[in-house]
Amino acid sequence: MEPAGALPRSCSPALEAAEPPGSPALPAEERPPAAAAAQEARRRGPGPQGPAGRGTRGGGGRAPGRRGGEPGGRARRPRVTVDSSKAKTSLEALKISLRQLRWKEFPFGRRLPCDIYWHGVSFHDNDIFSGQVNKFPGMTEMVRKITLSRAVRTMQYLFPLEYNFYPRSWILPDESSFFEKEVRMMKDRDPSWKPTFIVKPDGGCQGDGIYLIKDPSDIRLTGGLQSRPAVVQEYICKPLLVDKLKFDIRLYVLLKSLEPLEIYIAKDGLSRFCTEPYQEPTLKNLHQVFMHLTNYSLNIHSGNFIHSDNVNTGSKRTFSSILCRLSSKGVDVKKVWSDIISLVIKTIIALTPELKVYYQSDIPAGKPGPTCFQILGFDILLMKNLKPMLLEVNANPSMRIEHEQELSPGVFEIVPSPVDEEVKVAVIRDTLRLVDPQKQKKKDIQPQTLEHVSDTKEEQMDAGPPDGLEHDANRNADAGLPSLCLKQVFPKYAKQFNYLRLVDRVAALFIRFLGVKGTTKLGPTGFRTFIRNCKLSNSNFSMASVDILYIDITRRWNSMGIDHKESGMCWQAFVEAFFCLAQKKYKSLPLHEQVASLIDFCEYHLAVLDEKRLVCGRGIVERRNALVTCQTDGLQLTPAAHTSLLNSMATANKLADYRNHQ
């Protein structure tokens, strides 16, 4: 009989190393036998000869090129600088990562610019105008429960089968009456249906304010829904159980770039367990949070919570240990990974359109600003049939590698958590390796070097040794470090998912007609310009109808409590208006084909318009050049002709400015 939580002997690292198509390789075990020694070695960082535990402190010479220059007089690699003054709870894991990478940390900030700024909460923790920052502007707002539900719902309208990994959701208080009517209709249709719903406050975190209900009338009005809006979802009553306990998966996802889209997934994550044996919800057990809610911040207060130094046991384990147990029971873990990757990519595709609107607001095109990347925490639940379901996305997943242990009532001690450290330090360290600015500079320089070297065969031969040394320097930068724990999934699998990126193209239209840099709402003039330039008005849809459509949709969305700091049509309202226009113009097609057809129609007319403006601008510039030639030849111009040419020159300058802006 297999002991509870024990790792089966038949599960070997070789099994995990197999890479399924469309999914990351399961993490090969790289753990030394002595777990405690390994944790201490990782905390110290790699020694002079490589990773922790390899080589001695006093023996052996330094790696060439680390100090004192290299043969041939080549300068040593400059150290990457990181501002950690705003890192907050991720500071300890960040410090360990920087020691392992041998990068320079500035814990109190720096007067000179740093290469990387590590923020603990949001993009706006610091005013930054260069370098890289580990937060995207608008990400915190994008993954709030209501905004996430709206973004996924938009995709469910277009691709219902592809986005069936998110539970059916209603937004409170805006959809309270609709929620009650829909539940009543479904019960009338199927009297045996006895659903359970889970209510999640929009701004809640760490399980705060979450509760279960059996009927819409059970929604608590304490504090008023107007003051604290929420999302209510169908509760997943048949989760996969391990040791008779419900658990969820915290998976770490790196959004390395927004344009072009680049996504990485960590090969290992955390499995967080409830602390009471699971039973399907009834009126008697509905309020037992330790049975139904997997939040670590709740279950840690349970008397049954088990802190363990073993990644295979306890109330928090590695996800790879769960997969290993499932594999030993004959489960196709490659299929599980493939489904999880698909869920992650589709969720990011749903989030990126509005995220681009926020991004251009804080970092307008043509203005100086940092580049962004961000680690996201995906909370995923495996159902009994092994289908992954998305619970939520966290913009600021906890990166703490220690926990509080109560020694006596009211007396706590900070204790290291080996499971957290093993997963989280690797995620932070390898994120930094992927965004290493020194590697990016070498990539930018390499094409120029290749062009120069390819002039003659003799020059190519002469340039060979420095190139070899440069390649060695690249390898030495990662010398002694384990292989990356982050696997690229996009654009690697872009061909499989690009057809879902329709709303991204709608966002490009929205941003084009915003007009004023730094705004996130479209004014009535901008909306009319969009209609006119895309040739969407006709005898059946006059400009008066356009104004009515704009006013009705904008007013409704503004009444839902959408940001009132600036007036105009918000992004969600524009999406609704665009879908409405698509349905009017292409009535006989499915919705996703209607939207795709309207996007093609708009992009075509805008391309024609841009080409006309380009040709017109070239003609005016040629006439301006002709004027200069006439003046140098001493020709006399009449006042009327002179004024006309000056006006043409002014118009040409304006068009040139417009093209540069575009």
Side-chain angles (χ1 to χ4, degrees):
M1 187 74 172
E2 180 185 329
L7 190 66
R9 295 181 181 179
S10 61
C11 186
S12 65
L15 192 157
E16 298 181 49
E19 180 179 345
S23 66
L26 301 182
E29 293 199 12
E30 299 172 316
R31 308 182 193 99
Q39 293 298 330
E40 181 59 30
R42 277 195 298 272
R43 192 176 291 277
R44 286 197 305 265
Q49 299 300 321
R54 299 182 187 175
T56 59
R57 183 178 293 275
R62 295 185 185 275
R66 287 294 178 190
R67 293 188 185 275
E70 291 196 19
R74 191 168 61 84
R76 67 186 180 93
R77 183 177 186 264
R79 297 174 75 185
V80 178
T81 56
V82 180
D83 183 335
S84 63
S85 60
K86 303 291 184 180
K88 297 188 182 294
T89 57
S90 62
L91 182 60
E92 187 60 29
L94 178 63
K95 284 180 177 292
I96 295 173
S97 301
L98 294 177
R99 285 200 295 268
Q100 292 180 359
L101 295 170
R102 298 188 180 94
W103 289 6
K104 180 67 175 175
E105 179 193 3
F106 289 88
F108 303 107
R110 187 191 189 197
R111 288 185 179 179
L112 295 175
C114 282
D115 295 312
I116 295 173
Y117 295 83
W118 196 272
H119 290 180
V121 179
S122 76
F123 174 82
H124 297 288
D125 286 356
N126 239 333
D127 292 329
I128 304 169
F129 303 99
S130 63
Q132 300 183 74
V133 61
N134 70 317
K135 301 292 180 187
F136 278 94
M139 183 65 82
T140 302
E141 292 79 7
M142 270 309 306
V143 300
R144 289 172 73 98
K145 295 175 180 63
I146 287 180
T147 318
L148 174 64
S149 296
R150 282 178 173 147
V152 175
R153 183 186 294 179
T154 298
M155 299 305 294
Q156 287 174 335
Y157 289 151
L158 295 170
F159 307 101
L161 295 180
E162 287 85 345
Y163 280 84
N164 61 0
F165 57 79
Y166 193 66
R168 186 160 27 183
S169 306
W170 297 267
I171 296 167
L172 305 179
D174 300 328
E175 299 173 357
S176 298
S177 58
F178 178 67
F179 170 50
E180 294 175 5
K181 291 178 183 176
E182 193 164 2
V183 170
R184 194 181 307 118
M185 287 174 57
M186 288 188 289
K187 284 184 176 180
D188 292 341
R189 196 179 303 132
D190 182 8
S192 64
W193 183 57
K194 300 187 183 300
T196 302
F197 303 98
I198 183 167
V199 182
K200 303 176 181 179
D202 181 46
C205 60
Q206 300 181 340
D208 176 44
I210 297 178
Y211 61 95
L212 274 61
I213 60 173
K214 279 288 188 181
D215 191 84
S217 61
D218 298 332
I219 292 176
R220 302 173 192 170
L221 298 177
T222 307
L225 281 173
Q226 295 292 347
S227 60
R228 195 177 191 189
V231 168
V232 57
Q233 296 177 324
E234 278 191 82
Y235 180 75
I236 300 168
C237 295
K238 296 187 182 296
L240 178 68
L241 303 181
V242 171
D243 302 332
K244 298 182 180 180
L245 299 172
K246 179 181 175 181
F247 70 97
D248 74 352
I249 305 159
R250 165 61 60 83
L251 199 61
Y252 297 96
V253 175
L254 170 63
L255 181 57
K256 184 173 179 285
S257 169
L258 195 56
E259 192 61 54
L261 185 59
E262 197 169 349
I263 308 169
Y264 291 77
I265 296 181
K267 296 177 183 177
D268 205 356
L270 297 173
S271 298
R272 304 169 303 179
F273 283 76
C274 288
T275 47
E276 290 183 10
Y278 179 78
Q279 298 175 4
E280 289 197 22
T282 64
L283 291 176
K284 290 183 178 180
N285 67 29
L286 208 59
H287 306 297
Q288 296 183 25
V289 293
F290 298 145
M291 177 189 294
H292 295 294
L293 303 184
T294 55
N295 303 74
Y296 167 79
S297 54
L298 293 177
N299 283 280
I300 196 173
H301 299 294
S302 167
N304 298 327
F305 192 92
I306 301 173
H307 291 288
S308 175
D309 291 344
N310 191 327
V311 297
N312 307 312
T313 60
S315 296
K316 185 187 285 188
R317 315 176 194 178
T318 59
F319 180 43
S320 57
S321 71
I322 301 298
L323 289 175
C324 205
R325 286 191 64 177
L326 294 176
S327 179
S328 69
K329 296 178 181 179
V331 172
D332 185 359
V333 294
K334 294 182 179 182
K335 175 67 165 57
V336 173
W337 256 124
S338 182
D339 291 343
I340 288 175
I341 285 177
S342 178
L343 178 153
V344 168
I345 294 175
K346 290 174 182 177
T347 303
I348 296 290
I349 286 175
L351 293 175
T352 50
E354 189 167 0
L355 196 59
K356 289 180 179 179
V357 175
Y358 281 110
Y359 190 88
Q360 65 81 34
S361 173
D362 279 277
I363 311 176
K367 286 192 175 182
T371 56
C372 303
F373 62 95
Q374 188 155 353
I375 298 171
L376 302 172
F378 274 66
D379 291 348
I380 299 169
L381 183 75
L382 288 178
M383 296 177 65
K384 192 174 182 178
N385 61 2
L386 297 176
K387 178 183 177 179
M389 299 292 290
L390 177 66
L391 300 180
E392 59 182 59
V393 181
N394 295 270
N396 300 306
S398 172
M399 286 295 175
R400 291 188 63 177
I401 55 175
E402 68 280 331
H403 61 83
E404 291 183 347
Q405 187 169 344
E406 192 170 10
L407 302 177
S408 59
V411 179
F412 294 89
E413 179 186 18
I414 301 297
V415 180
S417 172
V419 178
D420 285 294
E421 183 171 335
E422 177 167 328
V423 174
K424 295 175 182 178
V425 170
V427 170
I428 291 179
R429 180 194 65 226
D430 292 349
T431 294
L432 293 172
R433 290 166 70 184
L434 285 169
V435 301
D436 184 350
Q438 301 296 343
K439 290 182 180 179
Q440 187 58 46
K441 288 177 183 177
K442 289 170 185 172
K443 287 181 182 178
D444 295 339
I445 293 172
Q446 189 177 7
Q448 301 174 10
T449 306
L450 290 175
E451 289 177 8
H452 175 71
V453 167
S454 60
D455 288 341
T456 64
K457 185 175 180 180
E458 290 75 17
E459 289 177 354
Q460 187 174 10
M461 292 175 64
D462 292 340
D467 283 348
L469 287 174
E470 192 66 32
H471 179 67
D472 290 339
N474 279 337
R475 289 190 300 179
N476 288 337
D478 290 338
L481 295 173
S483 59
L484 287 170
C485 76
L486 295 166
K487 177 182 174 63
Q488 188 192 82
V489 295
F490 201 96
K492 183 174 182 179
Y493 305 122
K495 289 183 180 179
Q496 302 174 32
F497 297 96
N498 271 339
Y499 74 98
L500 299 173
R501 303 187 68 185
L502 283 181
V503 187
D504 253 24
R505 295 164 67 190
V506 178
L509 297 173
F510 180 74
I511 292 171
R512 171 172 177 148
F513 290 98
L514 281 175
V516 180
K517 290 184 179 180
T519 185
T520 59
K521 290 192 175 182
L522 185 65
T525 303
F527 189 72
R528 289 172 65 93
T529 305
F530 157 69
I531 296 292
R532 189 180 298 110
N533 288 0
C534 294
K535 310 295 184 185
L536 296 178
S537 61
N538 51 42
S539 58
N540 296 324
F541 188 62
S542 64
M543 292 307 293
S545 301
V546 170
D547 293 338
I548 293 172
L549 177 68
Y550 175 88
I551 293 170
D552 286 348
I553 293 180
T554 302
R555 185 178 296 164
R556 184 168 66 256
W557 278 94
N558 287 341
S559 68
M560 293 181 187
I562 303 298
D563 183 20
H564 293 294
K565 293 180 182 177
E566 52 181 313
S567 60
M569 176 180 274
C570 65
W571 158 249
Q572 296 98 332
F574 182 79
V575 171
E576 181 182 336
F578 195 89
F579 284 16
C580 179
L581 293 169
Q583 289 170 318
K584 284 185 177 182
K585 191 170 183 64
Y586 305 98
K587 296 180 180 179
S588 60
L589 299 175
L591 180 61
H592 71 276
E593 292 185 20
Q594 291 174 334
V595 172
S597 298
L598 184 59
I599 293 172
D600 291 339
F601 185 84
C602 293
E603 289 176 346
Y604 168 76
H605 284 288
L606 291 175
V608 170
L609 180 63
D610 290 342
E611 183 64 25
K612 286 181 179 178
R613 287 171 172 167
L614 187 62
V615 171
C616 179
R618 285 174 181 167
I620 294 174
V621 170
E622 289 173 1
R623 287 198 296 273
R624 180 182 62 183
N625 294 337
L627 169 63
V628 173
T629 304
C630 291
Q631 289 176 338
T632 56
D633 290 343
L635 299 177
Q636 298 296 321
L637 297 173
T638 63
H642 184 68
T643 303
S644 175
L645 283 170
L646 287 178
N647 290 338
S648 298
M649 290 170 60
T651 305
N653 290 333
K654 289 181 180 179
L655 286 171
D657 291 341
Y658 173 81
R659 288 198 303 276
N660 291 334
H661 171 69
Q662 291 301 104

